[in-house]
Amino acid sequence: MVDTQFYINKGPFSLRQIAEICEAELADSGKADVVIKDIATMAKAGAEEICFFYDKKAKGKAAEIKASACVTTAELAPFLPSGVTALIAANPKIAFIKLNEAFYAEKQPKRDIASTARIHPSAIIGENASIGDNVVIGEKVKIGVNCVIEAGAVIGSGCQIGDNCRIGVNASVCYTIMGNNCYIFTGARIGQDGFGFQVINGQHKRIPQLGRVIIGNDVEIGANSCVDRGALDDTVIGDGCRVDNLVQIAHNDKLGRGCVIVAQTGIAGSCTFGDYVVCGGQTGFADHLTIGSGAQIGAQSGLMRNVEPGAIMMGYPAVGIKDFMRQTAYLQKAANGDRNDKK
């Protein structure tokens, strides 16, 4: 049961409506007018609720479903108990997203400007904005329409933020040009100094960081992640990228479209990613690397050389997935052999 203290339930919906939303086929047309009031998991859904069943590994638990209806595939539908109405979808995961969006919405902040916000007179704020308490917006900032700037956020001088963007609580954005439909989550730091020093006479001297951060459209940057601005060139985050919490993206990095960067990944300076690169959690990248489009990097891998497009890499230092599996098998075999010798 979704907690309506935090989310708005826009239901109920009939199974006919749900079938349309999910682009699914209702197995029993006689149940088209049955009313569904909520979404729940397979284990918790009950009367007047709907669940989703798309994992073959869960076939053994399907018989325990007590929901009124279930969105599933033609292959898995026979495992549903009698009394549970099936909705057959080509892709139940996509159906889940669509129905979730139809059923629930986050409670939206009031579209006004808090009296405690400090906004420079030269800043341009688009229509229908929500500016929270203690927000600071600097000189010559431009913010598009329908934006939400949450409490305590800071937008530095000269930044441009597109339409329909959301800047989370206590996030800071500086030296940044941002596209439309972006979400910068709580506590993120965008546009801070890159980590650049030169040793002069035995001392670390800071190298001035004179670039910007350029963020495309439909980008999400997770809570407490950091994207440093460039030294001379810009740091670029391409359209549709998804950056998880606690990620470090260094100065002059360039991410192509649709990249997914999972938590605690660290990307050193001047790396270039192609489109749709996927990095598992705690991945580390040395500086000045080129990672080809479609590459997949396993969690906790360490990248020290360039990666070809479409390659699947894993390990420290990272190697191709087949080599990694061979290395793992060899080490296990060697360890077992050593154990047997000691016996």
Side-chain angles (χ1 to χ4, degrees):
M1 179 75 71
V2 176
D3 191 339
T4 53
Q5 180 73 16
F6 302 108
Y7 304 96
I8 301 169
N9 185 316
K10 297 184 288 183
F13 296 98
S14 69
L15 284 180
R16 178 186 290 107
Q17 291 173 308
I18 290 174
E20 291 174 358
I21 292 167
C22 294
E23 297 182 12
E25 179 184 351
L26 187 59
D28 184 353
S29 59
K31 300 291 182 67
D33 294 325
V34 169
V35 172
I36 299 296
K37 294 183 178 179
D38 211 343
I39 309 171
T41 63
M42 285 175 57
K44 294 184 178 180
E48 299 184 315
E49 295 179 339
I50 192 168
C51 67
F52 289 77
F53 170 35
Y54 45 76
D55 186 355
K56 294 180 182 179
K57 297 177 183 177
K59 288 189 292 188
K61 299 179 181 179
E64 302 171 8
I65 292 175
K66 296 179 175 60
S68 293
C70 178
V71 180
T72 187
T73 63
E75 178 186 1
L76 296 176
F79 294 93
L80 295 177
S82 60
V84 178
T85 303
L87 289 87
I88 309 301
N91 190 327
K93 291 184 179 181
I94 294 177
F96 170 77
I97 294 172
K98 291 180 177 179
L99 188 58
N100 200 316
E101 290 175 342
F103 245 110
Y104 281 98
E106 288 189 61
K107 293 186 176 181
Q108 295 298 313
K110 291 175 63 176
R111 295 290 171 162
D112 61 6
I113 297 176
S115 60
T116 55
R118 297 186 63 181
I119 301 173
H120 194 276
S122 64
I124 299 173
I125 310 297
E127 295 181 356
N128 203 31
S130 173
I131 310 294
D133 284 318
N134 300 312
V135 165
V136 177
I137 297 177
E139 185 178 2
K140 296 181 180 179
V141 167
K142 294 181 181 178
I143 296 177
V145 301
N146 301 319
C147 286
V148 176
I149 315 297
E150 297 182 351
V154 177
I155 313 297
S157 298
C159 287
Q160 297 179 30
I161 295 174
D163 299 337
N164 306 307
C165 290
R166 181 173 176 181
I167 311 299
V169 173
N170 289 330
S172 64
V173 178
C174 57
Y175 302 95
T176 295
I177 309 297
M178 186 184 304
N180 302 322
N181 304 305
C182 294
Y183 189 173
I184 309 302
F185 282 73
T186 296
R189 300 287 180 250
I190 312 299
Q192 301 301 308
D193 272 24
F195 192 65
F197 299 90
Q198 182 68 45
V199 179
I200 301 176
N201 297 326
Q203 293 184 317
H204 294 292
K205 296 295 185 180
R206 176 177 169 273
I207 298 172
Q209 305 291 293
L210 304 177
R212 306 169 298 177
V213 175
I214 308 297
I215 298 176
N217 299 314
D218 185 31
V219 171
E220 294 187 4
I221 297 177
N224 294 326
S225 287
C226 298
V227 180
D228 293 343
R229 69 179 184 268
L232 281 177
D233 202 358
D234 295 325
T235 300
V236 178
I237 311 295
D239 292 349
C241 284
R242 296 291 184 265
V243 178
D244 198 1
N245 303 333
L246 298 170
V247 169
Q248 162 67 24
I249 298 175
H251 55 190
N252 306 323
D253 286 339
K254 291 176 173 52
L255 273 58
R257 295 177 297 115
C259 294
V260 176
I261 313 296
V262 181
Q264 297 186 352
T265 290
I267 306 173
S270 299
C271 288
T272 300
F273 285 27
D275 297 335
Y276 299 100
V277 173
V278 177
C279 302
Q282 296 185 330
T283 306
F285 293 83
D287 59 337
H288 292 84
L289 296 183
T290 298
I291 311 299
S293 293
Q296 300 178 46
I297 315 298
Q300 294 190 324
S301 295
L303 277 293
M304 301 177 187
R305 59 184 176 86
N306 295 338
V307 176
E308 295 294 321
I312 302 176
M313 309 290 288
M314 194 162 185
Y316 187 89
V319 295
I321 188 65
K322 290 183 179 179
D323 288 338
F324 176 80
M325 299 302 288
R326 277 193 285 265
Q327 290 174 2
T328 302
Y330 175 80
L331 290 172
Q332 288 177 339
K333 184 177 179 180
N336 290 333
D338 185 57
R339 246 186 246 114
N340 292 332
D341 290 342
K342 289 180 179 179
K343 291 180 180 178

